[in-house]
């Protein structure tokens, strides 16, 4: 009966030991449930760490094996209580949207395969010369003076001597009086005037042309109606009235300048 009593005693000790450990386990379960029910405060800048357990719930207090008097280890029956550990609810870290890390979509560039239009050169407008308002005689003179074949007396200002004479029937077939503002050109100018055929002096194009003569600030405009045989190329022989517009008749001969009017 002695070995049976020893086994009974060991069994009683094991039950007593298990009873001692039960309040501890129950206390830990309530503590973890209380921690699970607590609402964790989210901290955006620091991660929330789980509550460190002081003691693992998987380990249990077990009785030391005892030996009987014969040195044989006694079989100990231990009631194992598996507590149901409540899960620890840990709030996840607040989600932060990182907009800077996500690359923005790059717009697709559509390749333009159409040929580049060649710019059309703009024609440079040719400047149109401003028309000048002159008499028909002056227009004809300007047209003839533009040619390089025209004589020098047709272009620019001419210099010569001025005289006067008694008027009458002139080489152009016109009869004039002394009071008219007329003049006779030199025979050389009359005979070589462009367009004259040398046959009929009345049809000479110089007849009816106008000339503006100047002497010492005085000017007069005369009409060509005659031919002067004693004049140099650019000399003019005026009617008495025309000569008086420039100077006193007593001078007889003066140095003048003139242009085609």
């Amino acid at each position: 009966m002695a070995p049976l009593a020893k086994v009974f005693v060991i069994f009683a000790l094991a039950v007593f030991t298990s009873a001692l450990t039960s309040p501890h386990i129950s206390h830990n379960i309530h503590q973890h449930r209380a921690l699970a029910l607590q609402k964790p405060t989210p901290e955006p800048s620091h991660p929330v760490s789980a509550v460190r357990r002081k003691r693992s719930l998987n380990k249990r207090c077990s009785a030391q094996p005892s030996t009987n008097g014969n040195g044989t280890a006694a079989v100990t029956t231990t009631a194992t209580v598996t507590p149901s550990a409540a899960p620890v609810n840990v709030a996840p870290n607040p989600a932060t949207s990182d907009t800077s890390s996500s690359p923005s979509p790059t717009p697709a560039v559509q390749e333009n395969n159409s040929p580049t239009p060649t710019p059309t050169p703009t024609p440079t407008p040719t400047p149109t010369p401003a028309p000048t308002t002159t008499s028909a005689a002056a227009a004809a003179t300007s047209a003839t003076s533009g040619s390089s074949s025209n004589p020098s007396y047709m272009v620019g200002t001419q210099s010569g001597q001025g005289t006067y004479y008694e008027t009458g029937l002139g080489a152009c077939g016109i009869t004039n009086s002394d009071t008219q503002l007329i003049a006779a050109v030199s025979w050389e100018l009359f005979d070589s005037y462009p367009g004259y055929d040398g046959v009929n002096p009345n049809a000479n194009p110089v007849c009816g042309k106008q000339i503006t003569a100047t002497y010492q600030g005085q000017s007069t405009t005369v009409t060509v109606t005659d031919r002067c045989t004693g004049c140099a190329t650019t000399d003019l022989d005026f009617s008495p009235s025309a000569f008086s517009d420039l100077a006193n008749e007593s001078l007889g001969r003066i140095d003048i300048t003139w242009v085609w009017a």
Side-chain angles (χ1 to χ4, degrees):
M1 295 299 292
L4 185 59
K6 289 182 180 181
V7 172
F8 180 79
V9 172
I10 292 172
F11 179 78
L13 289 174
V15 173
F16 179 75
T17 304
S18 177
L20 291 176
T21 59
S22 295
H24 175 70
I25 296 173
S26 176
H27 180 268
N28 289 337
I29 291 174
H30 289 297
Q31 182 180 2
H32 287 291
R33 288 181 178 176
L35 292 175
L37 293 176
Q38 291 180 359
K39 185 177 181 181
T41 303
E43 296 182 3
S45 60
H46 301 285
V48 179
S49 60
V51 179
R52 182 177 297 176
R53 298 174 181 175
K54 296 182 179 179
R55 185 175 182 179
S56 176
L57 297 177
N58 294 328
K59 294 183 180 181
R60 300 291 182 269
C61 296
S62 59
Q64 296 294 331
S66 60
T67 57
N68 53 16
N70 296 329
T72 303
V75 178
T76 306
T77 302
T78 305
T80 305
V81 179
T82 304
S84 59
V88 179
N89 294 329
V90 180
N93 292 333
T96 57
S97 60
D98 189 1
T99 58
S100 61
S101 62
S102 60
S104 58
T106 303
V109 179
Q110 184 177 1
E111 183 178 0
N112 187 9
N113 295 326
S114 60
T116 303
T118 304
T120 304
T122 304
T124 304
T126 304
T128 304
T132 55
T133 304
T134 57
S135 62
T141 304
S142 300
T144 55
S145 64
S147 174
S148 58
S149 61
N150 289 337
S152 60
Y153 58 74
M154 298 293 298
V155 182
T157 302
Q158 309 299 323
S159 298
Q161 289 186 338
T163 56
Y164 65 95
Y165 72 105
E166 293 181 359
T167 62
L169 179 61
C172 292
I174 302 173
T175 301
N176 300 114
S177 64
D178 292 346
T179 58
Q180 293 179 315
L181 299 177
I182 56 97
V185 295
S186 67
W187 63 270
E188 185 177 2
L189 189 155
F190 189 93
D191 294 346
S192 64
Y193 193 85
Y196 177 49
D197 57 3
V199 178
N200 183 9
N202 295 340
N204 193 325
V206 75
C207 294
K209 300 295 183 183
Q210 288 188 325
I211 294 174
T212 299
T214 303
Y215 171 73
Q216 294 184 355
Q218 301 296 323
S219 298
T220 186
T221 300
V222 296
T223 303
V224 177
T225 59
D226 205 352
R227 174 177 180 268
C228 176
T229 56
C231 295
T233 305
T234 55
D235 290 347
L236 294 178
D237 199 8
F238 297 100
S239 66
S241 296
F243 188 90
S244 299
D245 289 343
L246 298 177
N248 195 306
E249 293 183 6
S250 61
L251 295 178
R253 184 179 296 270
I254 55 178
D255 295 325
I256 58 173
T257 57
W258 59 272
V259 294
W260 296 99

